Amino acid sequence: MPIIPELRDYLDELTAIRRDIHAHPEIGFEEERTADIVAVKLAEWGVEVHRGLAKTGIVGTIRRGNSLRAIGLRADMDCLPMQEMNQFPHRSTHDGKMHACGHDGHTTMLLGAAHYLAATRNFDGTVHFIFQPGEEGFGGGRVMVEEGLFDKFPCDAVFAMHNKPGFPVGHMATRAGPMLAATDRFDIRIKARGGHAAYPHLGSDPFVIGAQIVMTLQTIPARNIDPIDSAVISIGLMRGGSAYNVIPDDLHIGGTVRSFRPEVRDLLERRMSEIVRGTAALHGAEAALDYRRGYPPTINHAAEAAFAADVAAEICGEEQVERNVAPSMGGEDFSYMLLARPGAMMWIGNGPGEGGCMLHNARYDFNDTALPVGVSFFARLAERFLEAK
Ligand SMILES: [Zn+2]
Ligand SMILES: [Zn+2]
């Protein structure tokens, strides 16, 4: 069995906790109930509990021996604002809220590691269990760092895990360098001159301008970015108009931009602004780009990524660990912790994306059979990092 044998005693309780959190999902910075469960369980198992960092965030701490070395293990606790379509008994009981990204599983895996490490204390040093709020767009990880996470709880390195549907249970993956992208948002507001749709020549049409902007933006990844680099511009919303026979005065376009390198990010923002303003001017109208930088790219530190892969291989077997997995254009606010401390992010297999069981899908569910793998990984990571010399 590729897991720590003692964990068998905790599995039923952990599965129950995971499903209870799944049934009671909470949006970023509102994770009061989830944080209560985490705090109560940590205290019950003899872990020192610190509450109130980034509002609903929690840090649990255990120490053993004389070593000053410390490791941080991080999980996220929040859900998504979407309606769950699953019918199983532990489906969401909160309308319009759902654990569709598996943060219920992440929180539970970290709890399991805390339980095991608090009971066995087979290490020399300090383990900080970081339960962060608001990963889904709220930047709870950034807020925790800004509120002094690593000053109050110094860590030599910090690690996190995210489940990956479509990747078999018992498999893990990581890489040195960029793992997840920078996630930026933008709004384009076009101000044209509308009127009767039968007489378009008397004004300027924000739809024609907007359509041209949407198409031209795609030339940035295709013709401005080095083909070896990665960049994505996706439109997520377009709002304008109210009648079949009226050309409106304005159009609102919004979306997301993904990149890995700072130079690429700068270039994307600059070229988008030029295209938006230039295209509108071409048609005698005006348009402005509001570009807002979100999470920085998640960049794993090479030594920590290699160390985490070694531990994963110990749990899962070398053939089940991808040490140089392809990066993803998704984003993660664990990136803020990796800017402050060395560390690495791991992906843990969630099994086939059965029945639309993909992240942010209304039929997603965290796979409980991955719990022992993740718990063993977190636990062994701490034991190896803090090995008595
Ligand atoms: Zn997510
Ligand atoms: Zn997530």
Side-chain angles (χ1 to χ4, degrees):
M1 225 163 29
I3 61 159
I4 297 173
E6 294 94 311
L7 293 183
R8 277 192 294 260
D9 304 340
Y10 313 150
L11 271 184
D12 287 348
E13 183 183 18
L14 288 178
T15 305
I17 291 172
R18 206 287 294 175
R19 293 182 180 189
D20 179 54
I21 296 175
H22 188 94
H24 303 90
E26 294 170 304
I27 298 289
F29 295 123
E30 296 173 6
E31 305 94 334
E32 307 283 353
R33 184 183 183 280
T34 310
D36 282 344
I37 293 171
V38 169
V40 165
K41 285 293 161 193
L42 290 178
E44 183 185 317
W45 299 327
V47 179
E48 202 179 300
V49 178
H50 313 266
R51 297 193 69 163
L53 203 62
K55 202 173 171 202
T56 44
I58 294 185
V59 179
T61 301
I62 49 176
R63 296 185 182 82
R64 171 87 202 282
N66 307 314
S67 167
L68 295 176
R69 263 168 84 75
I71 185 174
L73 305 173
R74 169 275 203 180
D76 40 14
M77 300 189 290
D78 61 321
C79 75
L80 284 155
M82 58 187 279
Q83 190 65 35
E84 179 156 5
M85 300 291 282
N86 290 313
Q87 292 304 324
F88 46 61
H90 63 277
R91 70 180 175 274
S92 172
T93 57
H94 296 170
D95 237 19
K97 296 177 189 176
M98 176 189 176
H99 268 296
C101 205
H103 299 183
D104 48 345
H106 304 165
T107 296
T108 306
M109 291 190 288
L110 190 53
L111 273 177
H115 190 176
Y116 167 82
L117 289 167
T120 53
R121 306 219 180 203
N122 188 20
F123 58 88
D124 186 14
T126 302
V127 188
H128 295 300
F129 304 94
I130 303 164
F131 295 88
Q132 77 148 76
E135 192 285 323
E136 296 286 359
F138 297 91
R142 173 180 53 76
V143 178
M144 280 192 110
V145 172
E146 284 173 359
E147 290 187 10
L149 172 66
F150 295 121
D151 304 320
K152 292 170 181 152
F153 309 98
C155 295
D156 294 295
V158 63
F159 297 89
M161 246 189 291
H162 204 294
N163 75 94
K164 201 162 177 69
F167 196 50
V169 172
H171 287 231
M172 297 189 78
T174 189
R175 73 193 313 275
M179 177 119 164
L180 292 128
T183 62
D184 301 336
R185 286 185 179 179
F186 65 88
D187 288 287
I188 296 166
R189 294 185 195 275
I190 300 167
K191 294 259 170 265
R193 198 155 60 85
H196 198 301
Y199 315 118
H201 58 292
L202 299 179
S204 55
D205 184 340
F207 288 127
V208 171
I209 299 166
Q212 193 171 346
I213 287 174
V214 168
M215 296 305 289
T216 312
L217 287 180
Q218 296 309 324
T219 65
I220 304 175
R223 283 297 172 268
N224 298 136
I225 308 287
D226 186 327
I228 303 303
D229 279 313
S230 301
V232 174
I233 302 172
S234 286
I235 309 299
L237 62 92
M238 228 191 234
R239 291 187 188 123
S242 59
Y244 287 96
N245 57 354
V246 175
I247 296 171
D249 285 328
D250 34 47
L251 176 65
H252 171 204
I253 300 171
T256 183
V257 181
R258 308 293 168 108
S259 61
F260 290 112
R261 292 201 306 118
E263 297 82 354
V264 173
R265 202 179 193 183
D266 291 344
L267 182 63
L268 281 159
E269 180 174 356
R270 180 171 62 77
R271 284 296 295 141
M272 285 181 72
S273 175
E274 289 168 358
I275 286 169
V276 165
R277 280 184 287 112
T279 307
L282 195 64
H283 293 272
E286 280 177 22
L289 171 76
D290 176 20
Y291 191 100
R292 298 182 302 282
R293 295 199 173 204
Y295 298 168
T298 304
I299 316 256
N300 286 335
H301 299 240
E304 284 69 22
F307 168 71
D310 288 344
V311 173
E314 193 186 326
I315 302 297
C316 304
E318 187 63 56
E319 310 76 60
Q320 273 70 249
V321 177
E322 267 192 68
R323 290 169 178 269
N324 190 24
V325 72
S328 153
M329 298 311 282
E332 246 296 338
D333 74 350
F334 183 58
S335 53
Y336 292 100
M337 296 192 190
L338 290 182
L339 285 174
R341 286 294 179 277
M345 173 121 213
M346 294 296 290
W347 282 324
I348 175 168
N350 198 57
E354 226 171 88
C357 189
M358 299 307 288
L359 297 179
H360 293 209
N361 184 290
R363 298 197 184 279
Y364 169 86
D365 192 26
F366 182 84
N367 190 334
D368 288 320
T369 63
L371 285 175
V373 182
V375 175
S376 298
F377 170 74
F378 265 152
R380 195 65 90 202
L381 197 69
E383 287 180 344
R384 287 277 173 268
F385 193 81
L386 304 173
E387 228 154 34
K389 293 266 151 48

